[in-house]
Amino acid sequence: MWQDSKSRLQELSQEKLGYTPTYEILNQSGPDHDKTFSVGAYLGTEKVATGEGRSKQEAEQDAAQKALAAKGW
């Protein structure tokens, strides 16, 4: 069954590390109608990946996908 990247990262990080991933907006740029967000994905205090997107949700998904790749999951 396919899961979105955030759900998959949460499931695997809880299973393997006992952490729930957290996300923090690192930067946002552009006018209100055309913003770009940069979000960090953290496992504990470690920033594992940074994602970009046109919405916070899109940036979080991108960060989660990159975190999964960085961890080899």
Side-chain angles (χ1 to χ4, degrees), residues 53-68:
R54 292 283 187 197
S55 68
K56 292 174 194 170
Q57 294 81 8
E58 190 178 298
E60 288 175 355
Q61 286 289 347
D62 187 45
Q65 186 175 10
K66 290 175 179 171
L68 287 166

Side-chain angles (χ1 to χ4, degrees), residues 12-73:
L12 288 170
S13 65
Q14 286 175 337
E15 178 185 310
K16 295 175 183 289
L17 306 172
Y19 296 137
T20 297
T22 57
Y23 300 90
E24 181 182 328
I25 296 173
L26 303 175
N27 190 28
Q28 50 184 309
S29 59
D32 284 347
H33 66 279
D34 192 23
K35 280 201 183 301
T36 299
F37 294 89
S38 179
V39 171
Y42 294 82
L43 295 175
T45 57
E46 178 191 5
K47 183 172 77 170
V48 184
T50 303
E52 306 259 329
R54 292 283 187 197
S55 68
K56 292 174 194 170
Q57 294 81 8
E58 190 178 298
E60 288 175 355
Q61 286 289 347
D62 187 45
Q65 186 175 10
K66 290 175 179 171
L68 287 166
K71 286 294 190 183
W73 297 341

